[in-house]
Amino acid sequence: MNRSFIVAIAAFGLVVAGCNSQQSSNNGPAAGGSPAGAITNPTDFPLAADAKILAAKPFNQTVTAGGGGGTVLSQGAGTYSGHSVIAQASGSVADAKAWLDKTESAPPAGYTHVASTQNAQAASVAAKYGVTYGVFKNGAKGAVIAVIDTKVAHAKLGFLIGLADKYKMLPQSMRGPIDDQVKQRLGMSITDALDPSAPVGMTLEALRTINSSDQPAIVEVDATKQ
């Protein structure tokens, strides 16, 4: 595990321990859900031919200011609604990345690809954790498609799964200093990492769902500002 990451969240771990919460961690959307073969893609964005959908659920998020320029929240403050889909590919990570590259070159009907140069820093940070992603637009709708090297992501981000729910319980006054310290070392805060519309947040949701599998994951989040 990345030593600097451990140092960066040491204070977070102590705070969480002090909370002495009795709640267990959420095991993700796959727990107790429908069999993977029964789940269909609720979006109009086709996934890779070998992708087996493990979970699909509604996506809803409200932002009060700004909005992620490189995510589905690019239209600023407001409420966004859409879908979140987690799938697993049967081929290699290289195969999944090749599919994403091809999709960026020839997006589905109605979609255009948003060049990664518009969000190069976020793409660089995501790549450190085994995440390659593309951003697409279809009128007022935005979509982020992430290909995840789950072996790398498990090694570098897996420990956050057990801490995420406890972190959300902390008051904002306690989150701020922790976020600032982590962002200085990692280029992203824990709040950023837990954002379900951002590539690293999408990755944590995928890791919850696929558990210990090393097969690549493909995650899509699409949303339209209401």
Side-chain angles (χ1 to χ4, degrees), residues 3 7 22 31 55 61-62 64 66 69 80 93-94 103-104 114-115 127 131 151-152 154 204-205 210:
R3 182 178 295 275
V7 173
Q22 298 300 313
Q61 188 168 345
T62 298
T64 56
Y80 295 77
V93 173
T103 303
E104 290 175 345
V114 179
V131 186
K151 186 174 183 178
V152 173
H154 269 300
L204 291 179
E205 286 298 310
I210 64 177

Side-chain angles (χ1 to χ4, degrees), residues 100-127:
L100 180 58
D101 287 341
K102 184 177 179 180
T103 303
E104 290 175 345
S105 300
Y111 282 90
T112 58
H113 174 237
V114 179
S116 60
T117 53
Q118 297 184 27
N119 205 32
Q121 182 177 0
S124 177
V125 171

Side-chain angles (χ1 to χ4, degrees), residues 169-225:
M169 294 171 59
L170 298 177
Q172 188 60 46
S173 60
M174 297 177 71
R175 294 186 192 182
I178 296 170
D179 274 348
D180 291 343
Q181 184 182 10
V182 172
K183 192 163 187 175
Q184 288 177 3
R185 289 168 169 79
L186 303 179
M188 66 174 178
S189 66
I190 295 178
T191 296
D192 293 337
L194 299 181
D195 179 355
S197 70
V200 173
M202 292 164 67
T203 300
L204 291 179
E205 286 298 310
L207 294 182
R208 287 175 182 267
T209 302
I210 64 177
N211 296 319
S212 60
S213 173
D214 284 342
Q215 287 183 291
I218 299 175
V219 183
E220 174 186 356
V221 171
D222 72 354
T224 304
K225 185 179 177 182

Side-chain angles (χ1 to χ4, degrees), residues 8-224:
I9 67 160
F12 172 38
L14 292 173
V15 171
V16 168
C19 290
N20 194 28
S21 170
Q22 298 300 313
Q23 296 184 356
S24 61
S25 296
N26 179 5
N27 289 321
S34 301
I39 303 175
T40 59
N41 186 351
T43 79
D44 60 354
F45 201 109
L47 297 173
D50 68 335
K52 185 177 185 179
I53 297 177
L54 304 180
K57 63 181 181 179
F59 171 88
N60 291 282
Q61 188 168 345
T62 298
V63 294
T64 56
T71 74
V72 296
L73 310 181
S74 61
Q75 296 187 51
T79 298
Y80 295 77
S81 297
H83 310 88
S84 174
V85 179
I86 299 173
Q88 193 162 41
S90 60
S92 67
V93 173
D95 291 337
K97 288 183 178 180
W99 165 79
L100 180 58
D101 287 341
K102 184 177 179 180
T103 303
E104 290 175 345
S105 300
Y111 282 90
T112 58
H113 174 237
V114 179
S116 60
T117 53
Q118 297 184 27
N119 205 32
Q121 182 177 0
S124 177
V125 171
K128 294 178 182 179
Y129 303 105
V131 186
T132 304
Y133 70 95
V135 180
F136 301 84
K137 290 292 230 178
N138 184 354
K141 181 189 298 182
V144 178
I145 312 298
V147 168
I148 302 164
D149 183 333
T150 53
K151 186 174 183 178
V152 173
H154 269 300
K156 295 188 175 183
L157 293 174
F159 73 99
L160 268 179
I161 297 174
L163 299 178
D165 293 334
K166 295 183 178 68
Y167 178 79
K168 293 175 184 177
M169 294 171 59
L170 298 177
Q172 188 60 46
S173 60
M174 297 177 71
R175 294 186 192 182
I178 296 170
D179 274 348
D180 291 343
Q181 184 182 10
V182 172
K183 192 163 187 175
Q184 288 177 3
R185 289 168 169 79
L186 303 179
M188 66 174 178
S189 66
I190 295 178
T191 296
D192 293 337
L194 299 181
D195 179 355
S197 70
V200 173
M202 292 164 67
T203 300
L204 291 179
E205 286 298 310
L207 294 182
R208 287 175 182 267
T209 302
I210 64 177
N211 296 319
S212 60
S213 173
D214 284 342
Q215 287 183 291
I218 299 175
V219 183
E220 174 186 356
V221 171
D222 72 354
T224 304

